[in-house]
Amino acid sequence: MTGRRIDGNRKPWLSWKKKLNLAVTLVVLCLGPILIGAGSFMINADEELARTGAQVTGTIVHFDDVTKASERRMQVEFTTADGSPHKTFAAVDHDQHPELGGGVTVAYVENDPGRAVVLGYESDGVWFRGVGVVLTVIFGGLVLLIALVVGGAVLRAKFRKPAAERVV
């Protein structure tokens, strides 16, 4: 009797370790575009709030002028139309230098003052979108490079003449 033995004792095509590696790779590859989408959604929501929300003047109550960009945030207190006090935070760019006690314009949702943005300052979505772009460029570039190397090797192997057919 000839042929392959099919009795169920063969190893699966992908072991659990390879499946885990594949899953982690797919998550990392998808993370960049997901962060770009989430960041863009947050930026659009903040721009819509800035256009349609109730606007009041707030006071800067806390700001540390640090060199690390992710820590350049200020805290702003504002009072809603019904007289209740609220706080919000805003990311501060390196070319902006707010002063404690200074006034800024805050836009908020009237029935949910916890959703507020400080006009003229960055949305948190900018950070998410930026990280997403960096991850997409890094990991997308690696995938492209690997695809080019593997594709080139496959093409070279396909078009290489066997040694017996070469004329010397």
Side-chain angles (χ1 to χ4, degrees), residues 104-128:
V104 291
T105 304
V106 177
Y108 67 95
V109 177
E110 289 186 40
N111 57 359
D112 184 13
R115 287 186 43 214
V117 295
V118 180
L119 302 183
Y121 292 89
E122 284 186 353
S123 165
D124 287 334
V126 172
W127 183 86
F128 279 97

Side-chain angles (χ1 to χ4, degrees), residues 5-59:
R5 221 177 118 182
I6 304 176
D7 59 1
N9 290 333
R10 293 182 9 193
K11 287 187 177 181
W13 180 68
L14 283 177
S15 67
W16 69 272
K17 289 180 182 179
K18 289 182 181 178
K19 287 179 185 176
L20 181 64
N21 284 339
L22 182 62
V24 168
T25 302
L26 289 175
V27 166
V28 168
L29 287 174
C30 293
L31 188 61
I34 289 171
L35 286 175
I36 291 171
S40 296
F41 178 78
M42 292 169 69
I43 291 168
N44 290 340
D46 286 349
E47 288 174 354
E48 179 67 22
L49 177 58
R51 278 193 304 275
T52 62
Q55 294 187 4
V56 295
T57 300
T59 305

